[in-house]
Structures are given as structure tokens and as C-alpha cells.
Amino acid sequence: ASSASRKELKLNPLTLGDLYKRKFPPARWLVKDLIPLGGLTAITGEPASFKSFLTQALAVSVATGTPFLGHFETIKGKVLIIDQENQLRLVKERFELLNAKANENVFFLSQEGVKIDNKLHIDRLIEVVQKINPVLVVMDSLVRFHSGDENTAKDMSLFFEEASRLSSDERSVVFIHHHRKQF
């Protein structure tokens, strides 16, 4: 780091007493006790373990303002599903299995080849998000949204930095991540 940047960095440690004096607003939930409003949330698991199906059920609950899984309160709003994994035919079949009614609050981008680590792509995606203004963005799945190596901290740091630009205090981003098969 240059001497100029060292001079600009001011570090002021807090004591535990200082921390206890701070007042924080209560946590806000997109899905009560499961998905905080704002920021990134991962849904992870083995391939073919119903993660995409679960996020579609989540989309229906948020779009209609009904409890997720019949239990967890949701904030009602628009949802953008960016699905780079599944063909629209399968997405439609899953919504039909969920008995989801046609809903103007659910939007799709399907197999567009969006790469979050590509400046043009993220800028275009941010434009779409700003236009729709969803409370939830679903990204299916992590591996399809970047050109980097998931085992490299630098590559994943770039992904999370860019993906966090899609969230806001009033919007959550949920992404699916597949566990790698162990042999």
C-alpha cells in the first residue's frame, strides 16, 4: 500500500462497553428466521437434492406474500429468477407441480450466459434489477455465474463482491451452490 493510502486508513478499535452502548435496528427478514432482507444467502446441497425446486417454492411464497413451506412469514414482492441451469420447460413443470398460479410478480432470465465477473454482464443485470425492483433475486447456480475457479479465494471474492451489488437493504439475493461430488 502506498503511504497516501496508509494515512487515509484510520483504525479506531471499540471496547466491549462501546459495542454494548450501540443501538442496532432489529433484524429484517425476507423470510422470517431464514433469509435476511439484504445481502446474499446460499442454498447448498448435493446435485439433484431439490434446491431449484425449493427456490421456486420460495419465489411463489414471496410473490404472493404467503408463508414459505406453509410456516415462515414472507415479505410480498417481485422475484427475479436468473436460471442458468434449467430449461424453461423444466421450470414451468416445477411451478405446475407447486400449483402456482400465473403471477406478474415472478420474472425470469433463462440460460442467458450471464457472468457476474464480466463488467458488461453485471452492468446489464443491474439495469434489469433496477427496472423490475424485486425483493428477491435467485441465481441458479453459482458455478454458471462466473468464469473463475471456485477453489480460488480471489475468484470467489470477485464473484461475491459483484453479486452483492445486486442486493440492497430492501432486496435479498439467494444463490444455489452444488456440493462437489466426492469420490
Side-chain angles (χ1 to χ4, degrees):
S2 70
S3 60
S5 64
R6 281 194 291 259
K7 289 179 185 175
E8 294 171 15
L9 179 65
K10 297 195 185 320
L11 300 175
N12 298 309
L14 296 173
T15 66
L16 184 56
D18 293 334
L19 180 60
Y20 283 158
K21 290 175 189 171
R22 287 211 173 162
K23 301 291 183 214
F24 295 97
R28 296 178 60 217
W29 299 96
L30 176 70
V31 179
K32 189 164 177 32
D33 298 328
L34 288 181
I35 301 175
L37 191 57
L40 305 175
T41 300
I43 296 178
T44 70
E46 299 295 330
S49 60
F50 299 96
K51 295 177 301 298
S52 297
F53 193 86
L54 186 70
T55 58
Q56 286 184 233
L58 172 63
V60 170
S61 292
V62 170
T64 59
T66 56
F68 178 53
L69 302 177
H71 178 75
F72 300 95
E73 293 175 29
T74 61
I75 290 178
K76 183 178 181 178
K78 295 177 183 174
V79 178
L80 173 62
I81 298 174
I82 312 164
D83 192 329
Q84 312 237 81
E85 192 87 5
N86 303 290
Q87 293 183 358
L88 282 175
R89 174 189 300 272
L90 180 57
V91 172
K92 179 183 176 189
E93 288 171 2
R94 287 178 179 152
F95 277 114
E96 288 170 343
L97 287 170
L98 290 164
N99 293 316
K101 306 276 186 277
N103 191 309
E104 299 301 314
N105 276 349
V106 181
F107 297 80
F108 301 95
L109 287 172
S110 177
Q111 298 182 322
E112 299 284 348
V114 174
K115 299 291 185 193
I116 297 295
D117 51 3
N118 177 308
K119 181 167 176 20
L120 176 64
H121 290 199
I122 187 69
D123 289 347
R124 293 296 174 267
L125 190 53
I126 288 171
E127 288 173 9
V128 169
V129 167
Q130 288 173 340
K131 180 179 177 185
I132 295 171
N133 195 26
V135 295
L136 173 62
V137 174
V138 175
M139 301 170 69
D140 189 356
S141 73
L142 172 67
V143 69
R144 305 272 186 231
F145 281 90
H146 64 87
S147 306
D149 179 351
E150 288 190 26
N151 296 313
T152 304
K154 181 180 176 186
D155 290 349
M156 288 298 87
S157 177
L158 175 62
F159 168 81
F160 287 111
E161 184 178 313
E162 294 301 319
S164 68
R165 292 176 57 199
L166 298 174
S167 74
S168 71
D169 290 344
E170 303 298 323
R171 178 180 309 114
S172 298
V173 175
V174 170
F175 66 90
I176 292 176
H177 179 255
H178 301 296
H179 292 177
R180 289 159 50 109
K181 293 181 183 176
Q182 302 295 323
F183 295 100

